[in-house]
Amino acid sequence: MMDSTATQDIEVTPRISTISGDLPLGPYITCKLCFGEYSLNDVHQMENCTCVYCLSCLKQYLALLIQEGVVNNITCPDATCKESGKIQPNEIKSIVGEKTYERYKKVRFQLEIDLDPNRTYCPELGCETICHVCNVGGDPSIAKPVHCPSCGLTFCCICKARWHANISCSENLENLAQQGASAHLLDVMSVRCEGDDDAKIKRCPMCHIPIERDAGCAQMMCKRCKHVFCWYCLANLDDDFLLRHYDKGPCKNKLGHSRASVIWHRTQVIGIFAGFGVLLLLASPFLLLIAPCILCCKCNLCHCRDEEDNLPT
């Protein structure tokens, strides 16, 4: 017969210290992207938010963005994340491989040069020298001569062609076209000639990345910053769901679609908003009925968790 005062061995499940206090207790953590369960060594928590993902998903996510050149502002992959934490370069280095990280640094540096009005690359083939553009006291949109210290080329800071002192960039582009310049050279020069409707390449008015348009709709969306704009006048179309911009003004009837397709698009947009309104109206009585039950269940659940936390480990 055992002594009643003897200590009995009790098997207790250890409380695993997780990365975040909001995570469930247990030896495995569920990834918010693939919903797989992983150990603490196979997950990563964002520094600027409390989201946790497996290293495999984060590596694929970062590799895809770096491959597409979207390196300016890489945020948490969860679209519902309230903080939208920005992934720091040291985090990227620890997740992706050395080759991918080197590409990340190269693309990010090139983007900084493209967005800096005081620096530009030399357009001479094989040179790739970073040249300084003097914009002191002047407008960065005005053409200025830039001298490359490596190859000695003097070029225009706007269209990147050889310096044309007495004519504009558009006039110089027309002259080169009449002289039989290559199509590739004309396309590269037309990147900055935003007033030309026939230009095949223009820059996004928000992030200034070059965008090519072969044909089709004139409503453009930048792949990098998701900015929506008009190809012809570069006007902002982020809030123009019905495409009213192409009903009047200099861009009238330049959308690239028939009138019937435009009307069908507007009907779809209005129908979606009307459908959500009707669903909300029909569901409002049901939501009012179940609201007290949801609140009661939530309060009971919180009370049970408080009691569980007070139990001795």
Side-chain angles (χ1 to χ4, degrees):
M1 182 174 180
M2 298 180 61
D3 188 1
S4 59
T5 60
T7 302
Q8 299 180 0
D9 294 334
I10 302 176
E11 183 180 355
V12 180
T13 303
R15 297 173 65 90
I16 303 299
S17 177
T18 57
I19 299 176
S20 173
D22 297 334
L23 294 175
L25 297 176
Y28 294 101
I29 298 175
T30 302
C31 175
K32 298 175 65 176
L33 292 178
C34 65
F35 300 104
E37 293 185 350
Y38 300 89
S39 63
L40 293 176
N41 296 329
D42 297 328
V43 298
H44 176 80
Q45 182 183 23
M46 308 281 290
E47 291 185 2
N48 292 344
C49 63
T50 58
C51 297
V52 178
Y53 307 97
C54 70
L55 293 175
S56 177
C57 289
L58 276 180
K59 187 174 182 179
Q60 295 180 24
Y61 169 73
L62 294 174
L64 178 61
L65 292 182
I66 295 173
Q67 184 66 30
E68 295 291 334
V70 185
V71 298
N72 190 29
N73 188 18
I74 302 179
T75 59
C76 175
D78 187 4
T80 61
C81 179
K82 297 181 180 180
E83 300 180 10
S84 296
K86 184 178 180 180
I87 303 181
Q88 302 299 326
N90 61 318
E91 290 183 273
I92 298 176
K93 184 178 181 180
S94 63
I95 295 173
V96 302
E98 187 66 25
K99 183 178 179 180
T100 306
Y101 184 69
E102 290 298 325
R103 173 175 171 77
Y104 164 77
K105 293 194 300 182
K106 181 179 180 180
V107 174
R108 186 177 180 182
F109 179 73
Q110 290 178 348
L111 179 61
E112 291 177 356
I113 299 299
D114 291 338
L115 298 179
D116 189 355
N118 296 318
R119 292 185 296 174
T120 184
Y121 280 104
C122 175
E124 187 68 18
L125 186 62
C127 184
E128 298 184 355
T129 302
I130 300 176
C131 304
H132 179 73
V133 181
C134 183
N135 286 320
V136 179
D139 188 356
S141 62
I142 299 177
K144 302 179 183 66
V146 180
H147 179 74
C148 177
S150 298
C151 65
L153 175 67
T154 301
F155 60 94
C156 174
C157 66
I158 300 297
C159 65
K160 304 299 178 65
R162 292 185 179 274
W163 174 240
H164 44 87
N166 300 321
I167 58 177
S168 64
C169 295
S170 299
E171 292 174 343
N172 183 50
L173 182 64
E174 294 178 359
N175 293 338
L176 291 176
Q178 294 176 358
Q179 295 172 7
S182 65
H184 175 71
L185 175 62
L186 297 178
D187 286 343
V188 172
M189 290 182 57
S190 64
V191 171
R192 282 305 192 80
C193 299
E194 298 175 347
D196 186 7
D197 290 350
D198 297 330
K200 293 183 179 181
I201 303 177
K202 293 185 179 181
R203 290 186 178 268
C204 170
M206 187 66 64
C207 67
H208 308 289
I209 182 177
I211 298 177
E212 181 179 6
R213 174 178 179 263
D214 292 334
C217 184
Q219 182 193 31
M220 308 295 295
M221 184 177 72
C222 177
K223 181 185 294 185
R224 173 174 291 174
C225 65
K226 307 302 180 184
H227 176 62
V228 182
F229 61 96
C230 173
W231 175 258
Y232 297 104
C233 65
L234 304 180
N236 184 7
L237 301 180
D238 284 329
D239 299 327
D240 192 3
F241 301 106
L242 299 180
L243 301 178
R244 301 298 301 272
H245 174 77
Y246 299 97
D247 289 342
K248 57 183 178 180
C251 299
K252 183 178 180 180
N253 298 328
K254 288 186 177 182
L255 179 60
H257 296 280
S258 63
R259 193 65 183 173
S261 63
V262 175
I263 295 176
W264 174 242
H265 166 76
R266 295 176 178 177
T267 304
Q268 287 179 320
V269 174
I270 296 174
I272 291 173
F273 282 101
F276 276 113
V278 172
L279 289 176
L280 183 61
L281 181 63
L282 296 177
S284 56
F286 178 73
L287 294 177
L288 292 176
L289 289 176
I290 66 173
C293 300
I294 296 177
L295 294 176
C296 181
C297 294
K298 186 176 182 180
C299 293
N300 292 335
L301 183 60
C302 294
H303 180 68
C304 294
R305 286 181 178 177
D306 293 338
E307 291 181 352
E308 183 182 352
D309 293 337
N310 294 329
L311 292 177
T313 59

